[in-house]
Amino acid sequence: MKLLIKFNLVLFLVFGIGFLAVGYVTNRLLQRNAKQEIVENARIMMEAALAVRGYTSAEINPLLITQIKYSFLPQSVPAYSANQYFSKLRRKFPDYSYKEATLNPTNPINRASDWEADIVNTFRQSPDRTEIVGERDTPNGRMFYMARPMKITDMKCLRCHDTADGAPPTMVEKYGPDNGFGWKLNDIVTAQIVSAPMQLPLQRARSVFSVFMFSLGAIFVLLFLALNAMLIYLVTRPVNSLSKLANQVSLGDLNAPEFHTPGKDEISELAISFNRMRKSLVEAIKMLEV
């Protein structure tokens, strides 16, 4: 087997192992970073919702406190403000959704579905738990979700959610006396839930992975061609020429020309040694002929 073939076999073996190892590690890192990106985005959305709720509770609700005696305005409810904020945000980011899933809401739009109710109940069973991150299968594909519990810590909330008799009549008139009551202080009845399709970040990760691996393959091809060209012009071709001259000399052709190669590398040193040996051999044969 020729030296060039051996060299290429070793090169392909090393690259194949390296290509698979780099591909595996890169894919894992990109997948992890994609999921981490969506987690961070969900946390930002959570904090934005809390900011909107706090603003509504501190600055909007006091302005409408007397209005509730004559007409109930949902704009005074922090949950309503947060939902309206995200409904407008979804026009630009339609893949994200936000909901304050509630077991017994005043507004039916906030009622928790089965899987959301399971999350709320998990928080109720584990009061120290502050966040749940997971994935679930849906008809539209796999979805990522992040949930945080919302505990009743302000007595002002019970003004509207303790009993129907104690709630503002205008609110009862709007939503009815059957839902949204019986809440207790320090109860967890709601969970903030942000959802987004896993397909989005994973698609981006796969796209980056494809570009990276294609680039890595292209670099290998260029490296392969460069190394082969270097091996042919600097090693294989000079060694073949030297081998032919050695064969001529070994067969008695004393008129074979000297082998010359530029540079001061190992091939040049081998050529110098060969020429010295050839000269010594020619002189030795002449002495024998005399």
Side-chain angles (χ1 to χ4, degrees):
M1 185 180 294
K2 292 186 176 182
L3 179 63
L4 187 62
I5 297 177
K6 292 180 179 179
F7 174 79
N8 285 328
L9 287 177
V10 173
L11 186 62
F12 273 113
L13 178 62
V14 171
F15 175 76
I17 296 174
F19 189 82
L20 292 175
V22 171
Y24 174 79
V25 173
T26 302
N27 186 55
R28 291 291 299 272
L29 286 175
L30 288 173
Q31 296 280 341
R32 187 182 67 183
N33 289 342
K35 292 181 179 179
Q36 188 63 32
E37 176 187 348
I38 199 171
V39 168
E40 291 303 318
N41 289 341
R43 290 198 173 113
I44 292 173
M45 294 179 69
M46 292 282 194
E47 294 301 325
L50 291 175
V52 171
R53 288 177 59 89
Y55 171 77
T56 302
S57 179
E59 301 191 32
I60 302 299
N61 189 274
L63 299 177
L64 302 177
I65 195 68
T66 56
Q67 181 65 30
I68 199 172
K69 298 178 181 179
Y70 310 103
S71 175
F72 180 78
L73 297 177
Q75 288 81 0
S76 63
V77 180
Y80 176 86
S81 299
N83 287 329
Q84 287 297 106
Y85 168 77
F86 279 103
S87 67
K88 296 184 183 299
L89 189 66
R90 287 195 66 189
R91 296 175 186 175
K92 199 165 187 178
F93 302 97
D95 300 305
Y96 286 84
S97 65
Y98 172 83
K99 183 177 179 181
E100 294 187 5
T102 308
L103 297 179
N104 182 24
T106 303
N107 190 340
I109 197 173
N110 295 324
R111 186 172 298 279
S113 61
D114 291 340
W115 72 273
E116 293 169 340
D118 291 339
I119 291 177
V120 177
N121 286 323
T122 299
F123 284 129
R124 290 168 66 90
Q125 294 167 7
S126 305
D128 296 332
R129 194 165 186 177
T130 59
E131 188 175 273
I132 294 177
V133 176
E135 300 174 19
R136 66 187 188 92
D137 293 318
T138 70
N140 296 323
R142 195 157 184 80
M143 296 287 291
F144 162 88
Y145 67 87
M146 174 183 286
R148 288 182 179 177
M150 301 189 73
K151 183 183 292 187
I152 303 172
T153 57
D154 192 343
M155 288 295 297
K156 294 179 181 179
C157 294
L158 299 182
R159 182 179 59 191
C160 296
H161 298 286
D162 187 7
T163 63
D165 294 335
T170 52
M171 188 190 79
V172 177
E173 181 181 352
K174 184 175 180 64
Y175 294 112
D178 299 324
N179 298 305
F181 303 107
W183 295 12
K184 304 295 182 184
L185 192 65
N186 295 321
D187 270 359
I188 297 175
V189 296
T190 303
Q192 284 181 291
I193 300 177
V194 172
S195 299
M198 290 298 301
Q199 183 179 2
L200 293 177
L202 295 183
Q203 276 183 346
R204 288 196 293 268
R206 283 192 290 267
S207 177
V208 173
F209 177 75
S210 298
V211 172
F212 174 78
M213 296 306 290
F214 177 80
S215 301
L216 185 63
I219 291 173
F220 168 74
V221 172
L222 293 176
L223 183 63
F224 172 80
L225 295 175
L227 289 176
N228 272 268
M230 183 182 69
L231 186 65
I232 290 172
Y233 285 103
L234 298 181
V235 179
T236 305
R237 182 174 292 181
V239 169
N240 286 338
S241 298
L242 187 60
S243 176
K244 290 179 181 179
L245 287 176
N247 283 333
Q248 292 179 17
V249 173
S250 67
L251 294 174
D253 184 4
L254 301 181
N255 295 320
E258 291 188 352
F259 182 77
H260 296 286
T261 181
K264 295 183 179 181
D265 54 15
E266 288 81 357
I267 299 297
S268 300
E269 292 179 359
L270 179 62
I272 294 172
S273 299
F274 172 77
N275 290 331
R276 187 166 52 247
M277 181 190 69
R278 173 186 169 281
K279 186 176 181 180
S280 300
L281 181 62
V282 170
E283 291 178 355
I285 292 176
K286 288 181 178 180
M287 291 177 61
L288 290 174
E289 288 178 350
V290 174

